[in-house]
């Protein structure tokens, strides 16, 4: 029985096992998951600060992480030494209801955690493409290497703003977004799967973090994830995460 398959990113040849491992943590409900994930992430941040004097964390937005972000805000961390950035953001004003920056300011950046340094991906520019160079420079110079990343996942198997149709109009974007290393740390994205343009970190940036978490809730998302983990021909972005991550992500999930 074949136990490995090959994937190519341009000249890079990735040999990956057929069924990809998952470091799985199952919880009864979102509240107990949020508390456990907040404690684990806070410990990672304290460890990075102890080793290097500072910590950098990239967090996903959307609807799932609200309870986790609020729980993380309450953890004991030396927040002035922490840089927080979104894994991705919608290209909307930071006061817009769909802004991930707005979500993080309302949940995580409260109380003592408000002292953390926040690095937005959104800038007052007409498009993410027009803002890409300054975002690339700031992420590369001030956010990398990351210490912790918490990814969510859509029911279509997207992570960050790396959607299944990435590269449909411009094939090179798929390689930039999903190649495990050696590519630009951020990308401007337009997709049929979301109502607004996006700015997103790429896997090259995401995989700089030694602590990588995948936070999903619901049986449907779990089925999508397991399907991608088991199918070496899957083109879902979450498969590229499982196949390319330097170590299996820690899956925190509840039905
Ligand atoms: O901007 C975003 O939408 C997120 O960063 C994205 O990657 C999110 O993790 C998934 O879309 C899941 O979103 P839900 O939690 O809303 O299902």
């Amino acid at each position: 029985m074949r136990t490995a398959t090959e994937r190519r990113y341009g000249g890079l040849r990735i040999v990956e096992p057929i069924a990809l491992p998952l470091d799985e943590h199952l919880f009864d409900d979102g509240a107990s998951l949020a508390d456990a994930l907040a404690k684990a992430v806070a410990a990672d941040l304290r460890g990075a600060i102890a080793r290097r004097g500072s910590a950098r964390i990239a967090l996903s937005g959307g609807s799932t992480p609200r309870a986790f972000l609020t729980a993380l805000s309450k953890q004991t961390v030396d927040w002035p030494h922490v840089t927080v950035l979104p894994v991705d953001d919608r290209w909307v004003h930071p006061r817009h209801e769909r802004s991930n920056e707005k979500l993080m300011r309302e949940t995580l950046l409260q109380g003592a955690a408000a002292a953390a340094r926040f690095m937005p991906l959104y800038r007052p520019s007409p498009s993410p493409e027009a803002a890409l160079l300054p975002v690339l420079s700031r992420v590369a110079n001030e956010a990398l290497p990351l210490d912790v990343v918490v990814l969510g996942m859509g029911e279509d198997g997207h992570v960050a703003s790396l959607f299944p149709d990435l590269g449909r109009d411009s094939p090179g974007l798929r390689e930039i977004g999903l190649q495990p290393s050696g590519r630009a740390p951020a990308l401007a994205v337009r997709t049929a799967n979301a109502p607004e343009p996006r700015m997103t970190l790429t896997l090259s940036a995401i995989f700089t973090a030694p602590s990588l978490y995948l936070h999903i809730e619901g049986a449907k998302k779990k089925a999508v994830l397991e399907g991608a983990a088991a199918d070496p021909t899957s083109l879902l972005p979450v498969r590229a995460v499982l196949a390319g991550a330097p170590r299996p992500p820690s899956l925190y999930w509840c039905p």
Side-chain angles (χ1 to χ4, degrees):
M1 179 184 80
R2 280 192 327 133
T3 57
T5 181
E6 178 179 299
R7 185 183 293 264
R8 286 185 175 277
Y9 292 94
L12 184 64
R13 175 176 172 269
I14 299 269
V15 178
E16 62 191 53
I18 296 285
L20 296 171
L22 285 168
D23 170 22
E24 189 169 322
H25 303 256
L26 169 61
F27 296 87
D28 292 334
D29 53 50
S32 56
L33 186 160
D35 185 58
L37 182 56
K39 287 184 169 76
V41 166
D44 291 335
L45 293 175
R46 289 193 295 268
I49 293 168
R51 285 191 303 277
R52 211 185 56 239
S54 64
R56 300 160 172 162
I57 181 169
L59 295 162
S60 288
S63 57
T64 302
R66 184 172 284 272
F68 154 65
L69 293 170
T70 300
L72 181 59
S73 173
K74 297 179 172 66
Q75 297 300 307
T76 301
V77 176
D78 191 356
W79 290 109
H81 291 94
V82 178
T83 296
V84 177
L85 65 157
V87 161
D88 64 331
D89 213 343
R90 299 83 181 270
W91 209 253
V92 294
H93 189 280
R95 285 198 297 273
H96 190 286
E97 62 175 8
R98 288 200 33 92
S99 165
N100 286 338
E101 176 175 344
K102 180 176 186 292
L103 169 70
M104 291 175 196
R105 290 190 186 281
E106 289 173 349
T107 54
L108 174 60
L109 303 176
Q110 297 289 321
R117 177 167 167 255
F118 183 73
M119 182 188 295
L121 288 186
Y122 175 81
R123 288 167 173 262
S125 165
S127 71
E129 293 84 0
L132 184 56
L133 284 181
V135 169
L136 279 170
S137 172
R138 191 161 186 213
V139 168
N141 295 319
E142 300 177 34
L144 301 185
L146 293 163
D147 295 293
V148 188
V149 173
V150 181
L151 293 176
M153 188 193 79
E155 290 185 356
D156 61 357
H158 82 261
V159 295
S161 287
L162 303 167
F163 287 86
D165 66 355
L166 182 64
R168 179 193 57 192
D169 302 328
S170 175
L173 292 185
R174 187 171 179 86
E175 185 174 324
I176 294 169
L178 299 184
Q179 182 158 318
S181 63
R183 284 293 179 269
L187 191 57
V189 172
R190 291 176 188 271
T191 172
N193 301 56
E196 61 280 295
R198 305 280 188 103
M199 185 71 79
T200 185
L201 296 185
T202 62
L203 295 191
S204 285
I206 289 165
F207 288 165
T208 61
S211 296
L212 177 60
Y213 297 89
L214 184 56
H215 172 196
I216 64 173
E217 298 185 9
K220 188 167 182 185
K221 285 188 180 183
K222 184 63 162 42
V224 169
L225 177 64
E226 286 180 334
D231 177 3
T233 66
S234 170
L235 294 177
L236 294 183
V238 72
R239 170 85 191 190
V241 171
L242 302 177
R247 63 195 61 78
S250 295
L251 171 63
Y252 277 60
W253 85 277
C254 65

